[in-house]
Amino acid sequence: MPREAQWIRQAQAGDQNAFRKIVEQHQQRVRAIVQGMLGDTAEADDVAQEVFIKLHRSLSQFRGEAKLSTYLSRVAINLSLNELKRRKRKSRWLTFIRTGGPEAGLSDHSADPERQEIRDALQKALQRLEPEFRAVVLLRLVDGYSVKETADILQLPEGTVASRLARAQQKLRTILDQWL
Amino acid sequence: MAIDQMHINWIYRSLDGGLSPKEEHALQQALQASAELREEQEKIRRLRSALRDFQPAVDEGFTRRVFSKVREESVTAHWLRSVAAACLLLIASAFIGLYLAEGSLSQDTLIGVEELQPEDATALTPYSDLN
């Protein structure tokens, strides 16, 4: 995308407006991954912001060898997995504190209620998948990467991605039966 | 006709373009023969469509929050750089001062024992040990 390459060059030269355009262009994709991985929570919003802060920090080293969207998706997945590990450690120590589940959220209730209901059901169903299966579903079926691109982002063989994808969809299909 | 798990797997793989032409042909035949399988295929399609719509709405405040954090981070980084520079300046001044006062930066000068003589050591020995 030549326009994007231009924004990257301008942002590297310190143009804040170009960086703003990059954030605006990619925020939905990144937020979809992070919310899908962590649930629609305040910490998911923080992690999504962190993805762009990380990009801002490493702009000078960004050579454009990978597509920006691929780079951002990879960072989003990695930061989300780190956050899940942090949650796990935290819950080990603080099992007596109820912090609200991943479903407790910041859903956009201004949207069509029926669509919102399906969205909430989907969000809950995604949280029931193992993180590695969730990552595959989010990249392939939500963000629309091909199986090969998903495999590249997750640094997995294509066969592994395909089999995780099939198993994850079967589980989602069972959980969401009443909605389909 | 009961739904065969193999055909269900084929439906998933077919939607990702992962079937060979022969398997694809066999799947189409199975779909034609089974209303249940067609219904299953439709449900899987609906699931994938719901997932495609999972993208959250554009959040107008998101970019503002990112920029606010970026600014916060640059202020912190600037502050840390200033503190680090001040510390370096302080250490350098101490070394220069020491060099100007003692004319050397040897290890003895640095630990302040340059003019200490061996006999001075007795002064540091406890009184009880001398008796």
Side-chain angles (χ1 to χ4, degrees), chain A residues 16 20 24 27-29 31-32 45-46 49 52-53 56-57 115 119 122-123 140-143 165 169-170 173 177 180, chain B residues 5 9 12 15-16 40 43-44 46-48 50-59 62-63 65-67 69-70 73:
Chain A
Q16 295 294 293
R20 183 185 304 277
E24 281 166 0
Q27 62 140 308
Q28 261 183 299
R29 180 188 287 266
R31 286 171 50 235
D45 195 57
D46 285 342
Q49 289 170 40
F52 290 100
I53 291 163
H56 191 265
R57 262 186 235 140
R115 193 168 171 268
R119 201 184 138 76
L122 203 51
Q123 179 71 268
R140 171 72 190 100
L141 301 175
V142 177
D143 269 1
L165 197 55
Q169 284 178 93
Q170 284 189 42
R173 154 78 187 81
D177 192 37
L180 300 171
Chain B
Q5 185 60 41
N9 288 338
Y12 288 116
L15 292 168
D16 284 313
E40 189 60 26
K43 284 189 173 186
I44 293 168
R46 280 203 287 270
L47 169 68
R48 289 169 71 105
L51 282 163
R52 270 196 301 277
D53 288 343
F54 187 71
Q55 295 260 354
V58 173
D59 179 353
F62 182 81
T63 309
R65 293 196 294 279
V66 170
F67 268 77
K69 278 201 179 165
V70 165
E73 194 176 69

Side-chain angles (χ1 to χ4, degrees), chain B residues 5-119:
Chain B
Q5 185 60 41
M6 182 188 75
H7 287 135
I8 292 177
N9 288 338
W10 279 4
I11 293 173
Y12 288 116
R13 283 177 52 205
S14 163
L15 292 168
D16 284 313
L19 283 190
S20 68
K22 201 175 157 189
E23 287 168 330
E24 188 65 54
H25 180 71
L27 175 64
Q28 291 311 319
Q29 280 188 327
L31 282 166
Q32 272 177 8
S34 163
E36 274 180 297
L37 198 59
R38 284 198 298 278
E39 194 188 333
E40 189 60 26
Q41 185 190 40
E42 194 45 43
K43 284 189 173 186
I44 293 168
R45 283 206 169 122
R46 280 203 287 270
L47 169 68
R48 289 169 71 105
S49 164
L51 282 163
R52 270 196 301 277
D53 288 343
F54 187 71
Q55 295 260 354
V58 173
D59 179 353
E60 301 294 343
F62 182 81
T63 309
R64 186 178 37 76
R65 293 196 294 279
V66 170
F67 268 77
S68 149
K69 278 201 179 165
V70 165
R71 263 194 296 276
E72 242 172 64
E73 194 176 69
S74 355
V75 169
T76 312
H78 178 74
W79 185 82
L80 283 175
R81 272 197 299 272
S82 307
V83 169
C87 288
L88 281 176
L89 197 70
L90 198 70
I91 293 167
S93 309
F95 273 94
I96 292 168
L98 195 65
Y99 183 76
L100 290 177
E102 305 292 336
S104 152
L105 281 179
S106 68
Q107 196 180 358
D108 285 352
T109 310
L110 290 177
I111 58 174
V113 295
E114 192 187 33
E115 289 169 12
L116 202 66
Q117 299 302 316
E119 53 270 29

